[in-house]
Amino acid sequence: MGRGRFTGTLVTAAVALLLAGCSPSSSGAPAGGARPAGGGAPSGYGARFLAAGECSSFGTAGFTEVPCTGERAAARVVARHDGTIAAGPPCPATTDFVLHIGAQRTGGGADGGGRIPRGYACMRNLEPPHPGDPGGGGGPRTIVGDCLYGSGRGRVRETACDGSGRHEPRYRVVRAVTARDRCPASTALYVRLGGDRPVGCARRVRTAGQDLSTGSSPNSPTSGPPRP
């Protein structure tokens, strides 16, 4: 049996068009909840449920922690934090999806009162596809190399740069800078990325006869957002 794959469809990041000013981008919808196998104490794979370096399976009812060497292993935890993703550290740039972990009692511990605190795990698929890679069309963060399309109401969303997604790419983030005035003259829109270089400079791209996964795109500045 091969390992499962997560395409990133449920965690496609939404970002705001920033032609007049900066607006925060969304981290996307959660990929799902995570729970200890069988609802008991998550012992056997690590002292902490879904700690960094541990693996999860993909199931119909949720995600469970499994040994990384097992055939059910599908994704690895690349970072793990307590609290909410809105208040905590961002996931690594090439995270494929995020598991949101609700606070729950496990029945473990010396007094039978084990507890898993609320938190989130940044996940990376063990095998391709990797929607969190630059141009991959998904992941919880928008990064340099990602492509975007107009989703209406003055907003854009990620889509695959190679044209394999449901939506044709219209823009590509080519640079991350500290301020809008540091973007190149060919910039068509500005995207808030977060971090120490919070402004993404995006250029228009053309798809006819062009493979956008190579990173090439014409210099076609525009003074306004795409029409919905």
Side-chain angles (χ1 to χ4, degrees):
M1 181 186 300
R3 294 191 175 101
R5 297 180 179 181
F6 189 87
T7 63
T9 302
L10 298 180
V11 289
T12 301
V15 294
L17 284 175
L18 303 174
L19 289 163
C22 288
S23 300
S25 62
S26 167
S27 61
R35 58 181 175 79
S43 60
Y45 310 127
R48 185 186 194 191
F49 178 55
L50 285 179
E54 294 176 351
C55 293
S56 76
S57 66
F58 297 145
T60 57
F63 298 79
T64 57
E65 184 177 316
V66 296
C68 291
T69 54
E71 63 179 12
R72 295 179 59 211
R76 187 184 303 273
V77 181
V78 294
R80 175 75 155 84
H81 304 288
D82 291 337
T84 65
I85 192 169
C91 285
T94 56
T95 297
D96 286 330
F97 64 100
V98 178
L99 288 182
H100 297 268
I101 302 167
Q104 52 197 295
R105 302 186 72 85
T106 67
D111 59 356
R115 181 178 179 273
I116 297 174
R118 183 181 185 183
Y120 58 98
C122 310
M123 308 297 294
R124 176 85 173 168
N125 292 332
L126 294 180
E127 296 180 354
H130 292 292
D133 282 350
R141 295 181 58 183
T142 300
I143 60 177
V144 173
D146 280 341
C147 288
L148 313 166
Y149 71 94
S151 61
R153 296 185 179 183
R155 298 185 70 84
V156 293
R157 288 181 179 271
E158 283 188 44
T159 189
C161 287
D162 63 5
S164 62
R166 294 179 58 188
H167 299 276
E168 182 177 283
R170 298 292 302 275
Y171 300 89
R172 186 177 187 120
V173 181
V174 296
R175 188 176 300 177
V177 296
T178 55
R180 290 176 56 182
D181 59 6
R182 294 183 177 274
C183 284
S186 58
T187 299
L189 64 88
Y190 306 91
V191 181
R192 177 166 290 180
L193 305 180
D196 57 357
R197 294 178 180 271
V199 179
C201 316
R203 297 188 300 184
R204 283 190 181 273
V205 294
R206 182 177 63 242
T207 58
Q210 181 183 21
D211 179 5
L212 296 179
S213 64
T214 62
S216 59
S217 58
N219 296 335
S220 319
T222 181
S223 58
R227 298 182 181 276

